[in-house]
Amino acid sequence: PWKAGRAILVMLKRGTESRRLLALLPRKCSVFQLFFAALLLGFASLLWLQLSCSGDVARQGRGAAAPSPLKPCPPESRASWAEDPSWGPHRLALLVPFRERFEELLAFVPHMHRFLSRKRIRHHIFVLNQVDHYRFNRASLINVGFLESGNDTDYIAMHDVDLLPRNEELDYGFPEAGPFHVASPELHPLYHYKTYVGGILLLTKQHYEMCNGMSNRFWGWGREDDEFYRRIKGAGLQLFRPSGIKTGYKTFQHLHDPAWRKRDQKRIATQKQEQFKVDREGGLNNVRYRIESQTALSVAGAPCTVLNILLDCDASKTPWCTFS
């Protein structure tokens, strides 16, 4: 019995909670008292495991879930959305292409969650984190986000992580009539040419499919939005922009610091010539990728889903996907 008591005592001494429990025990206690305390600790541990959950789901491609040691967290309660008709019937998938811009992400997720909640817009924020060794490909990440966003969302926002809306009059509602360019040239702090559709663009999922998504040929920074403008026109869709916004170039907060984060604007191989062509073959139909993991996170109380994405590159068609 004494040896058993010593073994239980060693077990109790492991961990902060165990030490707190020991502090509550009398200086002199019997083996039976130690045994009873060990039973209480074991019961508490089992209860914690039962109530614990994990938001991390590793997958090898679409639909293949890897086993998790903990049960998945239940989806966030949307009772307020269901009970309050002012939230409306539509749900937005906010697609955020991302790589190593954590300071901006920490500001973006809480800001957008509060902004959209004040406007009674049902939404889910997807952080599309590129984790492969290729150059950044914003367009392909948006294609992946579209495919992975699920059937419970019916429109998307292609949203830069460094652009925060400041004017409450900006419309993020369902763009039934056609693509709605929130960050229009008249409002964006940097880009003012007429055919610009970058920064923040809303589309119904049907309209995005009509365009076959975005071209996967754009590795590095820039030009993918200009090509997508041609796709919108080629699909016969009308582009809409905000009206009545009087805050001008102060409508958005631009978080990007070019001195701190330099953009990958290099043009290698035949990239310079190819970037001005319309890609009539590629898009949603041939984006190549694998989901390394999917994690549900909360940033300052704002929920989001992080998709760690491994893109694939056909070097015979786009040799500029790497620098080597």
Side-chain angles (χ1 to χ4, degrees), residues 50 61 140 145 209 266 299 312 317:
Q50 180 67 24
S140 288
E209 288 177 334
K266 294 182 179 178
V299 181
D312 193 13
K317 295 182 178 180

Side-chain angles (χ1 to χ4, degrees), residues 61-130:
R62 294 184 63 192
S68 173
L70 298 177
K71 66 181 182 180
C73 290
E76 182 184 348
S77 174
R78 304 298 186 193
S80 60
W81 292 1
E83 296 169 1
D84 189 350
S86 66
W87 285 86
H90 301 288
R91 190 175 179 191
L92 170 67
L94 199 71
L95 307 182
V96 188
F98 179 80
R99 178 183 262 178
E100 298 176 352
R101 300 173 75 170
F102 298 100
E103 298 88 349
E104 296 168 7
L105 186 67
L106 292 176
F108 178 87
V109 173
H111 179 91
M112 290 308 304
H113 179 64
R114 291 192 297 265
F115 184 86
L116 294 172
S117 295
R118 287 195 300 269
K119 299 177 79 63
R120 296 292 191 269
I121 293 177
R122 306 177 188 227
H123 62 277
H124 193 123
I125 300 174
F126 291 91
V127 180
L128 312 172
N129 184 30
Q130 185 176 341

Side-chain angles (χ1 to χ4, degrees), residues 1-14 31 34 38:
W2 175 246
K3 290 182 179 179
R6 285 179 62 85
I8 294 171
L9 185 61
V10 170
M11 181 183 69
L12 286 171
K13 287 182 179 179
R14 296 174 181 172
V31 173
L34 288 173

Side-chain angles (χ1 to χ4, degrees), residues 53-232:
C53 66
S54 171
D56 181 60
V57 180
R59 293 188 293 171
Q60 302 298 317
R62 294 184 63 192
S68 173
L70 298 177
K71 66 181 182 180
C73 290
E76 182 184 348
S77 174
R78 304 298 186 193
S80 60
W81 292 1
E83 296 169 1
D84 189 350
S86 66
W87 285 86
H90 301 288
R91 190 175 179 191
L92 170 67
L94 199 71
L95 307 182
V96 188
F98 179 80
R99 178 183 262 178
E100 298 176 352
R101 300 173 75 170
F102 298 100
E103 298 88 349
E104 296 168 7
L105 186 67
L106 292 176
F108 178 87
V109 173
H111 179 91
M112 290 308 304
H113 179 64
R114 291 192 297 265
F115 184 86
L116 294 172
S117 295
R118 287 195 300 269
K119 299 177 79 63
R120 296 292 191 269
I121 293 177
R122 306 177 188 227
H123 62 277
H124 193 123
I125 300 174
F126 291 91
V127 180
L128 312 172
N129 184 30
Q130 185 176 341
V131 296
D132 53 70
H133 64 279
Y134 297 113
R135 299 172 70 188
F136 189 65
N137 192 322
R138 177 178 178 269
S140 288
L141 291 175
I142 292 173
N143 285 339
V144 174
F146 177 90
L147 294 172
E148 296 290 329
S149 59
N151 295 326
D152 58 344
T153 57
D154 54 0
Y155 71 113
I156 66 169
M158 301 155 53
H159 211 300
D160 287 353
V161 71
D162 60 5
L163 199 61
L164 304 182
R166 300 177 64 182
N167 191 320
E168 295 290 336
E169 298 300 318
L170 288 171
D171 186 7
Y172 275 72
F174 186 71
E176 184 174 5
F180 187 78
H181 187 210
V182 180
S184 66
E186 296 81 12
L187 304 175
H188 195 284
L190 294 180
Y191 308 113
H192 310 139
Y193 57 95
K194 290 184 178 180
T195 59
Y196 176 68
V197 291
I200 309 167
L201 181 65
L202 307 180
L203 298 97
T204 69
K205 286 197 165 181
Q206 180 185 6
H207 290 161
Y208 193 75
E209 288 177 334
M210 288 172 61
C211 298
N212 190 23
M214 304 187 78
S215 171
N216 300 303
R217 296 174 59 82
F218 291 87
W219 301 89
W221 182 82
R223 299 296 183 185
E224 76 282 344
D225 291 323
D226 297 332
E227 200 271 351
F228 190 64
Y229 175 83
R230 299 182 185 180
R231 291 186 175 222
I232 292 174

Side-chain angles (χ1 to χ4, degrees), residues 8-57:
I8 294 171
L9 185 61
V10 170
M11 181 183 69
L12 286 171
K13 287 182 179 179
R14 296 174 181 172
T16 303
E17 296 300 324
S18 301
R19 287 195 294 272
R20 290 178 182 173
L21 182 58
L22 280 172
L24 299 176
L25 294 175
R27 292 289 181 179
K28 295 181 180 180
C29 57
S30 66
V31 173
F32 295 104
Q33 288 174 314
L34 288 173
F35 181 71
F36 180 71
L39 286 178
L40 287 177
L41 180 62
F43 176 77
S45 299
L46 289 174
L47 182 61
W48 179 84
L49 287 173
Q50 180 67 24
L51 295 177
S52 297
C53 66
S54 171
D56 181 60
V57 180

